[in-house]
Amino acid sequence: LEGHTGSVSFLLWGLNGRVYSGSGDSTIRVWSGDDGAHLQTLKGHTNWITSLVWGPDGKLYSGSHDCTIRVWSDGGTMIFKSAESAIFSLAWGDGNLFAALWKKILVWSSDQLGPTDPPSHVLDGVVCGAWRL
């Protein structure tokens, strides 16, 4: 699949049979899972796309080194959350949105998803490591 002008950093399969790719060129591209045809380019981030995840609302959420989380829908995009540093990863679980930043994890509960709502929990001083066998 050709189209991004930067390295592809994240891939996500959509239940709609499409593939979503995030890149260092600050875009998300949508591809047909059947034939690989480029269908759409989502623009709005201003830095590297680091994470893509489906929310329980069926919308696409993206995290970026531009310190924002965006929500994508048929009507376009909105800045959902701004953070104090780059977003490295996003995850949904038990109705909570988790965002991994540098040495910190921010958690928003499902009833605090407005653009100005602060995180319901902040896990500070988080350092990840890897075990080697």
Side-chain angles (χ1 to χ4, degrees):
L1 304 178
E2 295 182 17
H4 282 294
T5 58
S7 297
V8 173
S9 55
F10 207 91
L11 293 172
L12 180 67
W13 177 260
L15 297 177
N16 55 7
R18 296 177 177 175
V19 177
Y20 296 76
S21 58
S23 171
D25 65 9
S26 307
T27 68
I28 299 165
R29 291 191 181 251
V30 185
W31 311 89
S32 167
D34 294 327
D35 61 10
H38 176 250
L39 303 173
Q40 186 178 11
T41 300
L42 304 176
K43 297 180 180 180
H45 282 292
T46 60
N47 206 325
W48 199 280
I49 308 290
T50 55
S51 187
L52 299 170
V53 65
W54 290 110
D57 55 5
K59 294 179 182 172
L60 179 66
Y61 288 70
S62 60
S64 171
H65 277 207
D66 67 5
C67 306
T68 66
I69 299 169
R70 291 182 177 263
V71 183
W72 303 86
S73 65
D74 292 337
T77 179
M78 71 169 217
I79 296 178
F80 173 65
K81 297 290 179 189
S82 293
E84 65 268 17
S85 68
I87 308 291
F88 290 106
S89 183
L90 296 174
W92 277 96
D94 293 331
N96 295 307
L97 174 63
F98 297 83
L101 284 64
W102 180 252
K103 296 186 180 181
K104 187 180 289 190
I105 297 173
L106 304 179
V107 183
W108 288 273
S109 64
S110 59
D111 60 347
Q112 293 180 308
L113 295 179
T116 59
D117 290 333
S120 55
H121 296 82
V122 177
L123 308 172
D124 210 350
V126 177
V127 178
C128 296
W131 291 95
R132 210 175 358 161
L133 300 175

